[in-house]
Amino acid sequence: MHNAKHMLQHGPKHVHQFGNFYFSLLIILFAASLSLNLVSCSKARKPIGDRAPIIGFSLDSLVVERWRRDVDSFTKAAHDLGAEVVLRVANQDASTQISQVKELLNQGIDALVIIPNDAEKLTEVCREAKRRGVPVMSYDRLVHNADVDLYISFDNEKVGSLQAQAASEAVPSGTYIIVNGAITDNNAFMINKGFHTVLDPLIQSGRIRLAGEIWPSDWISDEVRTRFETLLQPGQKIDAVLCGNDMLAETVISVLSENRMVGKTIVTGQDAELAACQRIAEGSQFATIYKPIDALALKAAGFAVMMARGEKVRYDNKIDDGHYKVPYIALEPILVTAKTLGSTVIKDGFHTREDVYRNVKR
């Protein structure tokens, strides 16, 4: 903890890159060590001594806009805590990711941080890491049946319930469609649970009719486009479409536009991508879910360094990974609509006002 303590006393050497927000998050992170629960990391390894810990970061892909921001924030924070980060990007291929994780393990990393392409296929290689004494953190997406040492993410059920609540308040009755995230991604199921927690009572009461659900094999817009088009019956009104993320929302809005339905159907997504925030400002997308990525990345970096050094990590809850109850830290997501763009993503500096309203005539 020497580097962490030094930072709390003197500030990180790159603190100007994140401002007071960055430093406050690091203070919160290490203050959180006063919590009651402790992570018991993978089997004992040789202490790393005074050398810089090496963290392997295994990323599914950079297709989604937010992942670049996650990587940059995580890497800078880890460097400020005296660690090195080795990044590997699997380009949406589970087999490639498995090979890359094995490569990282053979390089002698001290901790593995993984954003899995497939919650099932990455199980065995995560178990292999633990057998080698390398602690494993599931970052934002949970690996199934792997007994990872820590899962840190936003509250994904709340991501779904926030979308559904916003939609049902705007359109309390009518026809809905759900476009889920990848069937290989555990988050998609958690978000779907949030959708249904809100919508099911309304469906049972007859106020809302669910015209269909789409479960794509991956976060692939072309597949969603084809399947969404088949749900649009001639003359049928679709009142709301809830989407797994903003990239899928963009695809849905494109199809609605081709059918002259933009403005007649509300569409929600998540990630607060710039294009989505612009669509909200313009009126073609109703809402998105903002997840303050710096908060997630900075906390994850701090915990990863502690895990690499063999230090105990505090946690709040546990989550079922299909076989084990694993330590779970959940951050709060935030609903963004046209009314709250200024008080959320713009206020936090996630996007600039000029960029968000670039296509809106003043």
Side-chain angles (χ1 to χ4, degrees), residues 36-37 122 165 174 176 187 242 254 261 289 313 315 329:
L36 295 177
N37 299 314
L122 273 296
Q165 188 66 42
Y176 280 49
N187 285 4
L242 310 184
S254 175
M261 297 172 68
I289 303 298
V313 174
Y315 62 93
I329 296 174

Side-chain angles (χ1 to χ4, degrees), residues 294-314:
D294 283 346
L296 175 65
L298 297 178
K299 283 196 172 190
F303 287 133
V305 172
M306 293 171 69
M307 291 164 66
R309 292 190 178 280
E311 296 163 359
K312 293 185 181 297
V313 174
R314 317 280 171 160

Side-chain angles (χ1 to χ4, degrees), residues 182-200:
I183 200 166
T184 57
D185 187 341
N186 188 71
N187 285 4
F189 290 91
M190 297 173 74
I191 293 167
N192 180 267
K193 184 178 179 181
F195 288 157
H196 281 280
T197 297
V198 175
L199 295 185
D200 282 355

Side-chain angles (χ1 to χ4, degrees), residues 37-327:
N37 299 314
L38 293 172
V39 169
S40 177
C41 289
S42 303
K43 71 178 184 179
R45 307 174 69 235
K46 279 187 176 182
I48 65 174
D50 292 331
R51 72 169 174 81
I54 302 171
I55 300 169
F57 197 132
S58 175
L59 175 61
D60 168 27
S61 78
L62 289 169
V63 170
V64 178
E65 176 186 299
R66 61 159 290 195
W67 293 130
R68 172 52 62 189
R69 194 185 294 255
D70 285 84
V71 168
D72 289 346
S73 294
F74 181 97
T75 301
K76 288 174 182 175
H79 285 169
D80 287 337
L81 290 168
E84 298 178 11
V85 177
V86 182
L87 175 67
R88 293 292 181 270
V89 182
N91 297 319
Q92 294 187 294
D93 185 84
S95 297
T96 298
Q97 190 167 29
I98 291 168
S99 297
Q100 290 177 340
V101 170
K102 289 181 178 180
E103 175 198 350
L104 290 169
L105 293 174
N106 290 334
Q107 288 181 10
I109 59 172
D110 301 299
L112 173 66
V113 177
I114 186 166
I115 302 174
N117 167 264
D118 189 303
E120 303 287 347
K121 293 180 180 178
L122 273 296
T123 298
E124 181 53 36
V125 78
C126 288
R127 288 178 175 175
E128 180 180 340
K130 289 173 65 67
R131 286 195 296 268
R132 295 198 195 188
V134 176
V136 180
M137 176 192 295
S138 260
Y139 182 105
D140 201 58
R141 296 178 183 171
L142 182 62
V143 181
H144 288 173
N145 306 312
D147 195 21
V148 297
D149 296 284
L150 184 65
Y151 170 49
I152 182 167
S153 182
F154 288 90
D155 185 336
N156 290 294
E157 285 188 29
K158 191 167 184 179
V159 168
S161 64
L162 283 173
Q163 285 192 51
Q165 188 66 42
S168 62
E169 288 176 0
V171 186
S173 63
T175 301
Y176 280 49
I177 291 175
I178 292 175
V179 179
N180 294 291
I183 200 166
T184 57
D185 187 341
N186 188 71
N187 285 4
F189 290 91
M190 297 173 74
I191 293 167
N192 180 267
K193 184 178 179 181
F195 288 157
H196 281 280
T197 297
V198 175
L199 295 185
D200 282 355
L202 301 175
I203 293 170
Q204 291 164 9
S205 71
R207 291 171 59 190
I208 286 176
R209 184 179 80 87
L210 187 60
E213 289 199 48
I214 296 172
W215 280 100
S217 57
D218 210 325
W219 295 94
I220 300 172
S221 297
D222 288 344
E223 180 184 353
V224 167
R225 169 179 284 274
T226 301
R227 295 174 66 179
F228 182 66
E229 287 173 339
T230 64
L231 292 176
L232 296 183
Q233 301 298 322
Q236 180 185 24
K237 183 184 179 186
I238 304 297
D239 296 283
V241 184
L242 310 184
C243 300
N245 70 2
D246 288 330
M247 186 170 64
L248 298 178
E250 182 176 18
T251 298
V252 165
I253 290 168
S254 175
V255 175
L256 291 174
S257 177
E258 292 167 6
N259 288 270
R260 300 183 179 180
M261 297 172 68
V262 170
K264 301 175 184 177
T265 304
I266 70 168
V267 180
T268 66
Q270 72 149 331
D271 287 337
E273 291 188 353
L274 176 58
C277 292
Q278 290 172 336
R279 291 193 295 270
I280 291 172
E282 297 159 16
S284 60
Q285 182 166 329
F286 178 70
T288 186
I289 303 298
Y290 168 45
K291 301 186 295 187
I293 290 169
D294 283 346
L296 175 65
L298 297 178
K299 283 196 172 190
F303 287 133
V305 172
M306 293 171 69
M307 291 164 66
R309 292 190 178 280
E311 296 163 359
K312 293 185 181 297
V313 174
R314 317 280 171 160
Y315 62 93
D316 305 316
N317 302 294
K318 286 197 170 185
I319 190 170
D320 190 340
D321 76 351
H323 186 77
Y324 305 94
K325 298 288 187 181
V326 301

